Amino acid sequence: NQHERAILHADAGRIGAVRGPLHPAAWAARMRGMRLLTAAIRAAALVPILGGAGGAVLGSRFLGEPCGAAADSHLRYLSGVLLGLGLVAVWCAADLRRRVLVFEALCAVVALGGLARLAGLLAATPPWPHLLALVMELGVVPALWLWCRQACRS
């Protein structure tokens, strides 16, 4: 039966490849789930893209707090890195099954940054936008990683 044939990708044997027969309804459900996941990744990537671009262009003015030239330069650099992280996430979402390892590494880097921010809470409590960023770094990103892991390895 044509509908019960195995659906094999060109990358069969790699992470995310579908193996064995899959009922058309199950295949459609899996594809809907992947589309939702990629849409969620793209939506979440808007945060570092917009935040990174704002910080790279405006420097400390983006945060509404004055700082010295060295701190402003460092903020602009890190904002460029943040912008790059968002762009890489969008790139990964375009072909998530093939780029899953890059996406997982990206998630690990973001979570590591979130852990550093969390440790900083011991020194001082930042303004609320930074606390929202912490939720993104240690909540949303790990949730997307787990979703991706389930979707791409099933």
Side-chain angles (χ1 to χ4, degrees):
N1 180 327
Q2 182 179 9
H3 293 291
E4 293 176 328
R5 283 188 326 191
I7 299 172
L8 299 175
H9 291 278
D11 61 342
R14 292 177 55 168
I15 292 173
V18 177
R19 293 169 196 85
L22 196 61
H23 190 274
W27 175 252
R30 183 175 289 170
M31 290 301 100
R32 275 192 305 276
M34 285 298 292
R35 283 193 297 274
L36 283 173
L37 174 58
T38 57
I41 291 169
R42 288 179 177 128
L46 288 175
V47 173
I49 289 171
L50 296 175
V57 171
L58 300 174
S60 63
R61 289 180 296 148
F62 183 68
L63 299 178
E65 294 184 15
C67 68
D72 185 74
S73 174
H74 195 63
L75 174 69
R76 289 175 191 268
Y77 167 77
L78 291 176
S79 294
V81 171
L82 185 63
L83 172 62
L85 290 173
L87 294 173
V88 170
V90 170
W91 176 78
C92 287
D95 192 358
L96 196 54
R97 287 192 183 275
R98 290 182 189 251
R99 300 172 182 162
V100 65
L101 295 178
V102 175
F103 181 71
E104 289 179 341
L106 183 69
C107 290
V109 168
V110 171
L112 182 62
L115 291 173
R117 188 188 303 271
L118 182 64
L121 287 177
L122 299 174
T125 302
W128 67 268
H130 296 269
L131 296 176
L132 291 178
L134 184 63
V135 170
M136 186 80 172
E137 296 152 357
L138 296 180
V140 174
V141 170
L144 288 172
W145 171 75
L146 287 171
W147 186 3
C148 176
R149 189 169 173 85
Q150 184 274 325
C152 291
R153 296 187 194 280
S154 60

